[in-house]
């Protein structure tokens, strides 16, 4: 810690509109390590080494000790004050649960002594009054008889995105290995990297127009919202507490599915056979189309179950058409890494949030119970392929301009999305190096997101190199999750699953 506090400089970084949109959530990841070699406690991921390496890593990420603030116009910024640092919370504790028990539970976080997802899902002070938003929480949990370790890391999404998060975790692991192998740290040079944290990189690609944007995106940002205005008036701390309360009241469950590489490749080939000549669909196109159909149909069936109950049925008969959803189609939001799509030479070194969601609206007639066949999936995959490919520097630049025209536009879009029940936000992290995070005791047994603060989110993750394939994580309402498991076509594709409902 002393190295960080002695080298950090004061700075202020204003959040871009796309940064600010991510400020209501954290990235919370669980890295599970099983001590299969029965190493002693002081050699299997030694506590002192991990902590020393963590604080040494923060030297490369100074904003991790920043304060979240807002100016008089409502623009949010990160302030690093070297005389008043907002240091991360780091803890290393033991529990009475054996690693085998957590493995047999399907790595259910609810079995742990502390509810990690509930405490750290939303950037908010932990107390009911006072306090401030910490940018990072690190919880190391050691299981009974030194049987394994959980490394839980939760970092504010406005500070970092999934790309930067995996770089942070791998840098922490690299320093841990270096400290364990180096006899004389002073004489042995630690590899250094030049990370970029200056938010002004966003302004370099903004375009002063909105001609490339679709009507739906324009409406989500431009529509007036009393709720958004209310949330914009309060402090970041109060806003965080409100979002945290909303997430806890709504509630949802998680389900995890493994798909083998062979099964996914076979599906892609079958769907590709229906595509126009010269168009190659990626696994990303096909898997997002697949999970879009699965969730859309599960939501439809869960809604039908609810409205069939006596009281809801009576309400619907009174409301008539007024009870029908105002958004009859289905919205799939695809997270896109902007670094590879903008003409910025330093983009690959930028560790801040540079991800945004491309909104794809499917009309009601495009998704139905027949949509699970290969030809219907191809139609959806083609639409996803076209929209993602069209997300070029011009589109991103115009969206950046639109989001920054008003400091509260990100809140308008947030609440516009919140009103849409038939939606799914997807993030494909298959290419992220989660399974390279080796602290010196080998790669993780399993890497998963902690349950997200809000529902209707799906992550596509790499599976462990030991098994290969893909893991799909759904954060959805419990009744929707039950209908996903009840989908015969989906369950034919997957070979195992865990339900945490």
């Amino acid at each position: 810690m002393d190295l960080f506090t002695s080298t950090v400089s004061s700075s202020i970084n204003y959040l871009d509109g796309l940064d600010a949109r991510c400020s209501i959530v954290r990235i919370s990841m669980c890295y599970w390590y099983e001590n299969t070699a029965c190493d002693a406690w002081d050699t299997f991921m030694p506590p002192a080494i991990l902590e020393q390496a963590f604080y040494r890593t923060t030297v490369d990420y100074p904003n991790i000790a920043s304060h979240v603030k807002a100016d008089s116009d409502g623009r949010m910024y990160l302030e690093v004050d070297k005389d008043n640092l907002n240091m991360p919370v780091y803890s290393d504790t033991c529990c009475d649960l054996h690693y085998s028990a957590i493995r047999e539970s399907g790595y259910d976080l609810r079995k742990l002594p502390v509810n990690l997802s509930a405490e750290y899902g939303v950037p908010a002070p932990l107390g009911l009054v006072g306090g401030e938003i910490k940018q990072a929480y690190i919880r190391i949990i050691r299981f009974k008889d030194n049987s394994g370790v959980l490394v839980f890391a939760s970092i504010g999404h406005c500070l970092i995105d999934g790309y930067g998060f995996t770089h942070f975790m791998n840098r922490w692991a690299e320093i841990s290995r270096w400290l364990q192998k180096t006899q004389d740290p002073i004489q042995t040079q630690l590899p250094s990297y030049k990370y970029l944290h200056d938010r002004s990189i966003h302004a370099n690609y903004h375009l002063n127009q909105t001609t490339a944007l679709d009507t739906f995106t324009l409406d989500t940002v431009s529509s007036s919202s009393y709720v958004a205005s209310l949330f914009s008036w309060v402090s970041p701390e109060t806003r965080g507490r409100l979002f945290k309360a909303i997430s806890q009241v709504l509630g949802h469950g998680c389900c995890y599915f493994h798909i083998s590489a062979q099964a996914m490749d076979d599906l892609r080939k079958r769907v590709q056979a229906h595509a126009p000549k010269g168009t190659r669909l990626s696994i990303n196109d096909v898997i997002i189309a697949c999970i879009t159909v699965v969730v859309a149909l599960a939501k439809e069936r869960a809604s039908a179950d609810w409205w069939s109950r006596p009281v809801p049925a009576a309400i619907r008969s009174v409301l008539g058409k007024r009870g029908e959803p105002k958004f009859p189609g289905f919205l799939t939001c695809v997270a896109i890494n902007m670094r590879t799509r903008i003409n910025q030479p330093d983009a690959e070194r930028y560790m801040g949030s540079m991800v945004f969601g491309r909104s794809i609206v499917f009309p009601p007639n495009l998704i139905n119970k027949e949509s699970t066949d290969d030809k219907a999936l191809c139609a959806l995959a083609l639409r996803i392929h076209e929209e993602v490919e069209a997300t070029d520097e011009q589109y991103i630049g115009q969206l950046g301009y639109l989001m920054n025209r008003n400091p509260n536009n990100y809140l308008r879009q947030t609440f516009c999305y919140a009103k849409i029940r038939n939606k799914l936000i997807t993030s494909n992290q298959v290419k992220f190096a989660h399974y390279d995070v080796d602290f010196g005791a080998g790669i993780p047994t399993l890497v998963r997101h902690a349950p997200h603060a809000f529902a209707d989110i799906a992550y596509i993750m790499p599976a462990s190199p030991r098994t290969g394939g893909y893991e799909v994580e759904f954060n959805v309402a419990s009744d929707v999750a039950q209908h996903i498991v009840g989908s015969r076509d989906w369950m034919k594709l997957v070979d195992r699953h865990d339900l945490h409902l």
Side-chain angles (χ1 to χ4, degrees):
M1 186 186 300
D2 291 342
L3 179 62
F4 175 78
T5 56
S6 63
T7 57
V8 69
S9 301
S10 297
S11 65
I12 291 179
N13 275 299
Y14 273 88
L15 296 182
D16 178 84
L18 297 174
D19 270 335
R21 187 171 62 173
C22 296
S23 66
I24 66 171
V25 293
R26 293 184 183 277
I27 300 177
S28 299
M29 299 292 302
C30 298
Y31 294 79
W32 302 90
Y33 299 85
E34 185 168 9
N35 187 3
T36 54
C38 298
D39 293 332
W41 72 272
D42 58 344
T43 58
F44 183 75
M45 301 178 66
I49 292 291
L50 260 64
E51 183 172 9
Q52 182 183 352
F54 171 77
Y55 285 110
R56 193 150 188 166
T57 306
T58 60
V59 173
D60 296 323
Y61 293 79
N63 283 330
I64 208 166
S66 64
H67 302 265
V68 182
K69 296 187 176 182
D71 64 16
S72 57
D73 294 327
R75 291 187 64 202
M76 296 179 66
Y77 62 93
L78 306 175
E79 181 182 38
V80 178
D81 182 353
K82 66 178 182 179
D83 297 320
N84 180 29
L85 294 172
N86 183 23
M87 294 300 293
V89 176
Y90 185 101
S91 68
D92 193 318
T93 58
C94 298
C95 73
D96 293 331
L97 190 68
H98 198 275
Y99 189 90
S100 60
I102 197 72
R103 183 189 345 107
E104 290 166 6
S105 74
Y107 296 92
D108 191 344
L109 290 179
R110 295 172 300 179
K111 302 296 183 182
L112 299 177
V114 59
N115 191 337
L116 296 175
S117 57
E119 286 296 322
Y120 307 119
V122 175
L126 293 187
L128 295 176
V129 293
E132 61 183 331
I133 298 173
K134 293 290 184 180
Q135 291 289 15
Y137 290 91
I138 305 296
R139 297 291 301 264
I140 312 295
I141 298 178
R142 299 177 182 274
F143 294 96
K144 186 178 179 180
D145 299 331
N146 196 32
S147 53
V149 170
L150 165 62
V151 177
F152 171 84
S154 180
I155 303 177
H157 203 333
C158 69
L159 190 74
I160 208 167
D161 59 11
Y163 174 90
F165 188 98
T166 51
H167 274 265
F168 178 89
M169 294 300 295
N170 275 287
R171 179 60 169 168
W172 178 13
E174 179 185 36
I175 296 175
S176 295
R177 297 193 304 271
W178 177 77
L179 288 173
Q180 292 173 72
K181 294 179 179 179
T182 302
Q183 298 297 322
D184 188 352
I186 297 177
Q187 297 297 324
T188 306
Q189 187 69 30
L190 175 70
S192 62
Y193 307 96
K194 292 184 178 180
Y195 298 118
L196 183 64
H197 302 281
D198 186 359
R199 261 58 184 172
S200 64
I201 189 173
H202 284 278
N204 296 334
Y205 60 79
H206 288 173
L207 299 175
N208 189 13
Q209 53 182 309
T210 58
T211 55
L213 301 181
D214 55 277
T215 303
F216 175 80
T217 299
L218 287 169
D219 289 344
T220 60
V221 179
S222 305
S223 301
S224 60
S225 169
Y226 292 111
V227 179
S229 298
L230 173 64
F231 272 65
S232 68
W233 292 333
V234 300
S235 68
E237 290 77 15
T238 301
R239 189 181 307 146
R241 287 192 177 96
L242 290 172
F243 276 121
K244 185 175 182 179
I246 292 171
S247 70
Q248 292 176 343
V249 167
L250 294 178
H252 58 278
C254 293
C255 42
Y256 304 87
F257 300 87
H258 179 266
I259 305 174
S260 71
Q262 185 64 54
M264 196 63 241
D265 190 52
D266 289 345
L267 176 63
R268 192 203 69 80
K269 289 177 180 177
R270 295 200 309 270
V271 172
Q272 176 68 51
H274 299 278
K277 189 176 181 180
T279 300
R280 187 185 186 282
L281 297 174
S282 67
I283 283 182
N284 184 62
D285 299 328
V286 175
I287 199 169
I288 292 178
C290 191
I291 64 178
T292 292
V293 170
V294 170
V295 172
L297 295 180
K299 281 177 170 282
E300 181 181 307
R301 290 161 184 156
S303 178
D305 288 348
W306 192 84
W307 284 110
S308 66
R309 298 172 186 172
V311 174
I315 295 173
R316 191 169 203 172
S317 65
V318 173
L319 293 176
K321 289 189 176 182
R322 289 176 297 171
E324 296 178 0
K326 296 181 179 180
F327 186 82
F330 194 88
L331 168 67
T332 296
C333 187
V334 181
I336 295 176
N337 182 0
M338 296 185 285
R339 292 173 180 82
T340 59
R341 295 170 184 261
I342 61 174
N343 185 25
Q344 294 293 326
D346 293 327
E348 293 293 330
R349 295 193 296 111
Y350 181 64
M351 294 295 107
S353 185
M354 193 171 269
V355 65
F356 83 101
R358 179 68 188 248
S359 300
I360 305 173
V361 180
F362 296 103
N365 62 342
L366 201 58
I367 300 178
N368 52 55
K369 62 183 179 180
E370 307 297 331
S371 298
T372 54
D373 67 45
D374 298 338
K375 185 175 181 180
L377 278 177
C378 182
L380 294 174
L382 282 170
R383 176 72 185 280
I384 292 166
H385 177 81
E386 292 167 358
E387 295 278 355
V388 171
E389 288 298 307
T391 308
D392 55 12
E393 187 174 36
Q394 182 185 33
Y395 185 96
I396 295 169
Q398 293 187 14
L399 179 62
Y401 163 72
L402 180 63
M403 292 294 290
N404 283 279
R405 281 171 57 179
N406 186 312
N408 301 325
N409 277 352
Y410 81 95
L411 285 171
R412 291 178 179 176
Q413 190 172 65
T414 297
F415 285 105
C416 187
Y417 273 46
K419 291 187 294 184
I420 300 173
R421 183 182 184 278
N422 295 328
K423 66 177 182 294
L424 181 68
I425 300 170
T426 67
S427 175
N428 189 333
Q429 300 188 12
V430 168
K431 293 183 179 180
F432 291 170
H434 287 296
Y435 281 95
D436 289 347
V437 182
D438 175 5
F439 289 94
I443 66 171
T445 306
L446 182 69
V447 180
R448 282 179 176 171
H449 287 82
H452 201 277
F454 300 101
D456 302 328
I457 294 177
Y459 295 104
I460 305 161
M461 295 286 290
S464 168
R466 299 181 179 94
T467 59
Y470 309 87
E471 185 160 290
V472 179
E473 308 174 356
F474 289 110
N475 289 260
V476 291
S478 296
D479 56 346
V480 175
Q482 296 288 359
H483 281 287
I484 291 176
V485 176
S487 169
R488 286 181 296 177
D489 292 308
W490 173 251
M491 296 307 289
K492 286 179 184 177
L493 180 65
V494 306
D495 53 30
R496 64 178 184 270
H497 66 278
D498 296 317
L499 298 181
H500 301 167
L501 305 177

